[in-house]
């Protein structure tokens, strides 16, 4: 057959009664969900100079108290988005490739040890005792271009449904 016999329709009269709660999703919540989905399926493109919501990729090196790179200090590469920083967001705004900026990990993420150890790829004890500044050298600045709200977007969101417009999306 055509596979429909897999989906036997239950006898609804025999099912226990179900209380139907109408869930009201506030438009603002929905906007946020749609935006985060557009971000998720968006493309990241290189941009000239960083803005608050961009991703700034950089190499970092630990500095001594005189601002010189420590020879066997902590180095590596990482990325961050200024929007998520607790303090000193502006340090990472307006940066271009090869821009250099001095930052203090403890300051920018507000003493969040897990975040510091993740960002610098060091263990928690090291992160806890870290007071040094670091130098960042920007390697690229990327911006997520939001996916268009179009058929392709709906297909990614709901592979098994046909949704043609935003109104339908909001109803699903």
């Amino acid at each position: 057959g055509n596979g429909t016999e897999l989906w036997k329709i239950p006898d609804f009269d025999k099912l226990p009664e179900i209380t139907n709660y109408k869930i009201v999703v506030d438009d603002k919540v929905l906007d946020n969900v749609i935006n985060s989905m557009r971000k998720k399926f968006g493309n990241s493109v290189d941009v000239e100079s960083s803005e608050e919501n961009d991703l700034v990729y950089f190499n970092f090196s630990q500095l001594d108290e005189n601002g010189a790179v420590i020879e066997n200090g902590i180095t590596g590469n990482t990325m961050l988005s200024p929007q998520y920083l607790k303090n000193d967001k502006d340090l990472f705004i307006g940066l271009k490739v090869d821009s250099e900026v001095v930052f203090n990990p403890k300051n920018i993420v507000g003493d969040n040890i897990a975040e510091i150890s993740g960002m610098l790829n060091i263990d928690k004890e090291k992160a806890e005792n870290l007071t040094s500044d670091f130098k960042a050298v920007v390697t690229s600045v990327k911006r997520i271009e939001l996916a268009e709200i179009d058929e392709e977007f709906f297909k990614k969101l709901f592979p098994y449904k046909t949704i043609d417009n935003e109104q339908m999306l909001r109803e699903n």
Side-chain angles (χ1 to χ4, degrees):
N2 55 11
T4 48
E5 54 277 350
L6 289 173
W7 310 101
K8 291 241 165 41
I9 293 174
D11 186 345
F12 287 112
D13 301 335
K14 299 201 176 92
L15 292 176
E17 200 171 311
I18 297 163
T19 316
N20 198 351
Y21 296 102
K22 181 135 183 63
I23 298 171
V24 179
V25 182
D26 148 354
D27 269 350
K28 192 157 171 37
V29 172
L30 207 47
D31 287 344
N32 288 340
V33 170
I34 289 175
N35 270 337
S36 70
M37 284 306 169
R38 289 179 68 192
K39 226 181 219 151
K40 184 178 169 189
F41 295 123
N43 297 316
S44 94
V45 294
D46 284 291
V47 288
E48 186 67 26
S49 157
S50 63
E51 290 174 11
E52 187 169 346
N53 300 329
D54 293 341
L55 302 173
V56 180
Y57 292 77
F58 56 91
N59 295 327
F60 59 81
S61 330
Q62 189 177 13
L63 302 177
D64 64 20
E65 48 282 2
N66 303 318
V69 172
I70 299 174
E71 200 166 322
N72 294 309
I74 302 166
T75 59
N77 52 66
T78 191
M79 54 86 101
L80 58 76
S81 179
Q83 62 183 324
Y84 299 117
L85 298 180
K86 273 237 164 57
N87 306 303
D88 288 346
K89 274 182 198 190
D90 351 340
L91 278 181
F92 288 91
I93 292 175
L95 298 182
K96 298 171 165 52
V97 172
D98 294 331
S99 291
E100 293 191 4
V101 62
V102 171
F103 70 98
N104 187 302
K106 274 231 162 99
N107 192 34
I108 62 173
V109 301
D111 229 2
N112 180 334
I113 302 303
E115 211 158 309
I116 295 168
S117 78
M119 177 168 70
L120 302 174
N121 195 17
I122 55 178
D123 59 41
K124 291 225 164 71
E125 288 86 283
K126 225 177 192 175
E128 244 156 55
N129 304 315
L130 194 65
T131 53
S132 0
D133 281 348
F134 281 73
K135 178 171 76 172
V137 180
V138 178
T139 53
S140 71
V141 180
K142 297 204 180 285
R143 181 163 303 155
I144 304 288
E145 284 194 334
L146 298 184
E148 291 297 320
I149 299 187
D150 58 14
E151 202 176 325
E152 194 185 335
F153 175 65
F154 298 133
K155 274 208 178 77
K156 287 179 183 162
L157 265 185
F158 299 105
Y160 307 112
K161 280 188 180 163
T162 310
I163 293 185
D164 304 316
N165 57 47
E166 192 169 347
Q167 191 49 46
M168 281 170 76
L169 172 64
R170 286 177 176 275
E171 284 157 12
N172 269 278

